[in-house]
Amino acid sequence: MNDDQIKAMLHDLAAAAPSTDVWAQIRKRVPSRPPRRPFWPKLKLRPTLVGLDVVAIAALLVAMFLPGFVSPTANMGKPGPPAANSEHQYPLTLAQFVQLRGGKAGAMLPTALPSGYQLTDIYGRDTVEDTQSGSQTLTQTIKLRTWEIFYHKSIASYDKQEELSVEVDPQAQIIYAIDQRRRIPQGLDAIGKPGVDTQFEGQGMEAGRMTSRTFREDRVIELYHDSTQAPRSQFAAVYFDNHDTARTVTRFFIQAHTSISDDMLTRFADSLEPIDPQNLARYQFGGNAAQQPMGLTYHDDRSPSYSLADFVSRKAGDPDLMLPTYLPSGYKLEDIDAYGIFLAATAADGKTVTMTIHNKRWRANYALRSPDLLPKPLNIVVGARDPQTSSDQFYQSWMGGVDTSRRTASYQLTDRRIELYHNAVYAPDSQFAYVFITNPQGEIQVACTIQAQFSVSDDDLLKIATSITRVDPQHLERYP
Amino acid sequence: MDYQWREDSEVLQRCLAGDPAAYAVVVGRYQNEALRYAYLITGERGAAEDAVQEAFLKVYLNLRRYDPARPFRPWLYKILSNESLRKRRKLDKAAPLDDNAPAPSDPHEQAALDEQSTTLQQALASLPPEQRTALVLKYFASFSEAEIAAITAARLGTVKSRLHYGKLALERIIRERYPWLANEYHASPLKEIVR
């Protein structure tokens, strides 16, 4: 059988399960907000404004009106029985954590950190699970089923890139999965054996990314490389045997949002030790969990639609700040969608901290409007190539899913390549165009997709494509 | 806000920002292909539906781990694969698969049972779960070998090996036990594959 025959066979077979409405089935089990780090965990510990100074009260008011704010009430959960298979997350001080977990599996912290990092947050998570007992389904709450520990490097900037997190599962199972009929949890012994299944579902720890596995007397350390974010490894997993009959292990999943050397990650992993309750300062490195909360979550800083002037002022200097100077008659720029590019958070001192994501795509929305007709939209999606991505990879990624059989023409100009596409569904003429702005070496620097949902002639599309140019902030009138 | 034209990453970030309705959009985008995938792995419609529901719920509960810089679909399939295999294991415990059970020798008898799909499912179920998963990820879900390696937490070489031996095994099983099926797919023109 060749590949196409196997494909046909599987698709025929899959047709026996044609459709479903999953949302209708799970919507009642979905919490109103996905589990996440609380926006300002300190509030939960102090749910009153008494004793807070003016700055703190102002910060609270600002925070409450930011999108994504998680109120103390929301964090605490609503009255009534918790939803099955749900999680409840809450901040803990180090002392509280030790009180709850001290002496049990996983109550460990590192004594070696990358330079400048401090312990800032601990979040415990209780889970509510359905368990089967005979014919009965029981709902069981497991206190502190997992927890997550956060370290930050720069308290001043609150930069996500300077965050180091450790997620701990004290009841992880390593399952030896070679023989389907003998799936026995194997504990630490199984790590590194062919066919083990760690049952871990986070991103970043795929086997193909692992760069080393080191066996110590009491732990196994795995380092993982993430080429999309950093030149060096910055994920690590550390396993400890729980020595229980269920052969469970404690797994520490360490994630750095910036490049940390293999050596440092290994030292971090080797330094994990049972917490000495008499010497908590040893683990805090000057920080103080849940007392100076760093639990910042960045949000889109406002409505995702920007005027041209606003957008240009924020994105000035980025290579993909490009727009056409030509548009078909009557079309005008309405606004610009920049969701996820300009982020903001409010720090504990009330200051707003902002961050710009430079390589994220954005979209300029144009429309032809007339009093008697519905608007005819035309938009242009723009994105810059990340220097770590090759020109070919970027092209493949940008064109992923495009049916190349619909291409009607392509043009190679000095500084750009233009491809026109026909889409019979919407219009008689071509109305999709892809523009790839290249450097003198022919490498793509910026890509643009022009999408007209109503008929635009090939000639007009080509004129738009050739007129796309870097925006001059001093002459915005050039960009209709 | 109209999410229809937005990328998964944008919609999921909206969801993280406190709009659970945005998740319904993501579920809507993937639910049918997810169900079909789960059906191919579990071999049972009810188990497939359970696996898909659990997977989408698990994705939602783990959204804090979602990295918008990476594509969403492989992550969904990673969780979906695990859920589907768990459901399959439960079914196996309840009624273990018997690899040595004689296959119907008479194609007309099989046809009378209207079970070409059952026959296909039996052939697929005869494969070890790792090979079955790799084949379905490649030939049904159209993932690259590198993506399959990431989804199944296996090395690239292992994935290539699973695909190679999975194909050979599937072909052998079909030729030996369901020969009319091989003829069906060899003789008939390929149907258009619509995802």
Side-chain angles (χ1 to χ4, degrees):
Chain A
M1 299 178 82
N2 62 33
D3 288 2
D4 286 339
Q5 286 165 335
I6 296 177
K7 274 185 190 173
M9 192 185 96
L10 291 179
H11 280 266
D12 274 0
L13 182 53
S19 65
T20 185
D21 185 358
V22 175
W23 184 245
Q25 302 298 322
I26 67 171
R27 61 187 306 171
K28 286 182 183 168
R29 295 165 67 193
V30 168
S32 59
R33 290 176 186 277
R36 50 177 295 177
R37 298 177 60 196
F39 184 74
W40 200 3
K42 189 176 186 177
L43 291 175
K44 184 169 177 297
L45 299 178
R46 296 181 183 178
T48 168
L49 298 183
V50 176
L52 295 182
D53 60 22
V54 173
V55 173
I57 292 170
L60 170 63
L61 293 174
V62 170
M64 287 176 71
F65 287 99
L66 278 176
F69 172 72
V70 180
S71 72
T73 315
N75 271 336
M76 297 285 279
K78 290 176 180 167
N85 298 313
S86 64
E87 282 187 334
H88 168 55
Q89 178 173 276
Y90 47 91
L92 292 167
T93 64
L94 179 55
Q96 287 170 327
F97 174 75
V98 171
Q99 193 177 11
L100 284 171
R101 190 71 199 178
K104 296 179 189 165
M108 305 174 87
L109 283 174
T111 57
L113 284 181
S115 174
Y117 280 82
Q118 299 181 347
L119 176 68
T120 51
D121 297 321
I122 300 174
Y123 295 103
R125 291 190 201 111
D126 299 344
T127 62
V128 181
E129 293 179 0
D130 281 344
T131 54
Q132 203 70 28
S133 175
S135 60
Q136 282 191 317
T137 301
L138 304 174
T139 300
Q140 179 186 16
T141 300
I142 304 172
K143 295 291 290 179
L144 211 56
R145 172 65 185 81
T146 60
W147 58 91
E148 197 160 8
I149 302 155
F150 288 88
Y151 298 89
H152 286 86
K153 185 173 184 180
S154 170
I155 288 179
S157 73
Y158 299 98
D159 189 341
K160 176 86 171 169
Q161 293 301 309
E162 298 189 332
E163 180 181 280
L164 186 64
S165 66
V166 185
E167 189 170 355
V168 187
D169 181 349
Q171 286 181 287
Q173 285 194 342
I174 307 296
I175 294 179
Y176 196 46
I178 276 195
D179 184 340
Q180 192 189 3
R181 288 172 184 75
R182 291 189 292 111
R183 290 177 176 275
I184 304 166
Q186 296 287 312
L188 217 52
D189 300 340
I191 293 179
K193 302 265 172 46
V196 295
D197 177 1
T198 61
Q199 300 284 302
F200 186 71
E201 285 149 345
Q203 289 178 302
M205 274 189 56
E206 296 85 356
R209 296 179 188 274
M210 193 169 72
T211 56
S212 73
R213 178 185 285 126
T214 309
F215 291 87
R216 304 279 197 235
E217 193 174 330
D218 67 337
R219 68 194 71 187
V220 178
I221 301 168
E222 294 174 345
L223 301 186
Y224 293 81
H225 175 74
D226 182 357
S227 59
T228 63
Q229 291 189 19
R232 290 180 288 191
S233 293
Q234 82 277 19
F235 291 101
V238 191
Y239 298 94
F240 293 87
D241 207 325
N242 287 343
H243 303 292
D244 61 13
T245 52
R247 305 298 307 271
T248 62
V249 298
T250 294
R251 182 189 55 231
F252 290 77
F253 171 45
I254 302 160
Q255 182 176 12
H257 288 275
T258 189
S259 178
I260 288 184
S261 70
D262 288 1
D263 180 53
M264 186 63 243
L265 269 181
T266 306
R267 281 169 52 206
F268 183 103
D270 271 327
S271 77
L272 284 165
E273 65 171 33
I275 299 170
D276 174 0
Q278 306 304 318
N279 192 8
L280 297 186
R282 176 176 168 80
Y283 311 103
Q284 305 200 61
F285 298 88
N288 195 352
Q291 294 301 313
Q292 297 291 327
M294 299 285 294
L296 286 182
T297 302
Y298 282 89
H299 311 283
D300 206 56
D301 69 343
R302 41 165 285 182
S303 160
S305 295
Y306 293 82
S307 69
L308 177 62
D310 195 2
F311 182 75
V312 168
S313 70
R314 287 162 176 263
K315 204 168 162 60
D318 279 0
D320 61 331
L321 182 52
M322 303 185 94
L323 284 172
T325 54
Y326 171 84
L327 285 176
S329 176
Y331 278 90
K332 283 190 169 52
L333 179 68
E334 303 223 308
D335 58 24
I336 293 174
D337 278 357
Y339 179 71
I341 293 179
F342 308 120
L343 306 179
T346 302
D349 60 5
K351 290 180 182 167
T352 299
V353 184
T354 60
M355 182 162 62
T356 300
I357 308 296
H358 293 283
N359 286 319
K360 195 161 174 52
R361 297 178 187 188
W362 52 278
R363 189 173 68 181
N365 300 311
Y366 299 87
L368 171 64
R369 289 184 183 273
S370 63
D372 305 324
L373 297 171
L374 289 171
K376 294 184 172 182
L378 179 154
N379 62 56
I380 302 179
V381 179
V382 186
R385 175 172 68 88
D386 184 322
Q388 292 184 0
T389 305
S390 75
S391 182
D392 285 347
Q393 285 173 331
F394 181 67
Y395 177 79
Q396 296 298 334
S397 157
W398 194 270
M399 299 296 283
V402 174
D403 180 356
T404 52
S405 70
R406 294 190 186 279
R407 186 166 58 207
T408 56
S410 56
Y411 304 87
Q412 181 66 57
L413 308 183
T414 312
D415 67 340
R416 69 193 61 197
R417 185 161 79 245
I418 300 168
E419 300 180 10
L420 302 188
Y421 282 73
H422 176 72
N423 186 335
V425 175
Y426 292 119
D429 293 318
S430 297
Q431 80 278 15
F432 284 75
Y434 296 87
V435 187
F436 298 98
I437 312 290
T438 52
N439 63 13
Q441 289 75 44
E443 296 168 324
I444 298 170
Q445 301 299 300
V446 175
C448 309
T449 303
I450 306 168
Q451 302 169 313
Q453 289 179 26
F454 289 81
S455 179
V456 170
S457 71
D458 285 4
D459 186 45
D460 270 342
L461 267 184
L462 204 52
K463 283 181 181 169
I464 299 171
T466 50
S467 79
I468 289 176
T469 184
R470 285 286 289 271
V471 173
D472 177 354
Q474 306 303 320
H475 295 283
L476 295 184
E477 73 280 0
R478 290 179 187 165
Y479 311 96
Chain B
M1 175 172 288
D2 179 12
Y3 294 114
Q4 189 185 357
W5 301 102
R6 299 191 178 264
E7 295 172 22
D8 290 343
S9 60
E10 292 183 41
V11 181
L12 288 168
Q13 284 185 83
R14 277 283 154 191
C15 182
L16 277 167
D19 183 0
Y23 193 57
V25 175
V26 176
V27 171
R29 280 181 191 172
Y30 292 105
Q31 61 184 6
N32 287 337
E33 73 166 88
L35 178 68
R36 291 170 186 173
Y37 172 82
Y39 177 68
L40 291 173
I41 299 299
T42 62
E44 208 268 326
R45 170 76 190 253
E49 291 212 349
D50 286 350
V52 171
Q53 288 174 24
E54 292 302 322
F56 276 111
L57 197 60
K58 209 162 205 173
V59 165
Y60 186 84
L61 294 173
N62 284 282
L63 268 185
R64 63 172 178 276
R65 288 188 185 137
Y66 170 63
D67 178 355
R70 296 182 185 163
F72 169 72
R73 190 167 171 263
W75 186 45
L76 168 66
Y77 268 78
K78 181 174 187 167
I79 293 176
L80 180 63
S81 290
N82 285 340
E83 286 303 322
S84 301
L85 285 170
R86 279 179 198 141
K87 296 294 176 197
R88 180 66 251 174
R89 284 174 208 144
K90 276 192 177 176
L91 291 174
D92 290 346
K93 277 184 186 171
L97 285 174
D98 184 355
D99 288 350
N100 298 317
S105 56
D106 180 357
H108 299 293
E109 179 189 341
Q110 189 69 15
L113 295 170
D114 185 30
E115 299 304 342
Q116 173 162 307
S117 66
T118 302
T119 311
L120 284 170
Q121 191 60 266
Q122 283 174 344
L124 200 59
S126 303
L127 298 176
E130 294 79 12
Q131 290 180 5
R132 188 191 326 153
T133 302
L135 284 176
V136 176
L137 284 170
K138 180 174 172 70
Y139 294 109
F140 173 75
S142 303
F143 283 110
S144 69
E145 290 173 352
E147 287 171 321
I148 296 170
I151 291 167
T152 58
R155 293 187 180 282
L156 188 58
T158 307
V159 169
K160 287 176 187 285
S161 163
R162 285 174 183 168
L163 287 170
H164 176 70
Y165 289 108
K167 265 178 75 173
L168 289 180
L170 188 64
E171 191 165 29
R172 180 180 55 76
I173 292 165
I174 287 177
R175 281 205 174 128
E176 287 178 1
R177 302 172 62 185
Y178 317 103
W180 65 93
L181 207 55
N183 294 334
E184 159 90 7
Y185 281 96
H186 277 256
S188 65
L190 284 175
K191 296 163 188 172
E192 187 179 359
I193 296 166
V194 180
R195 285 189 55 203

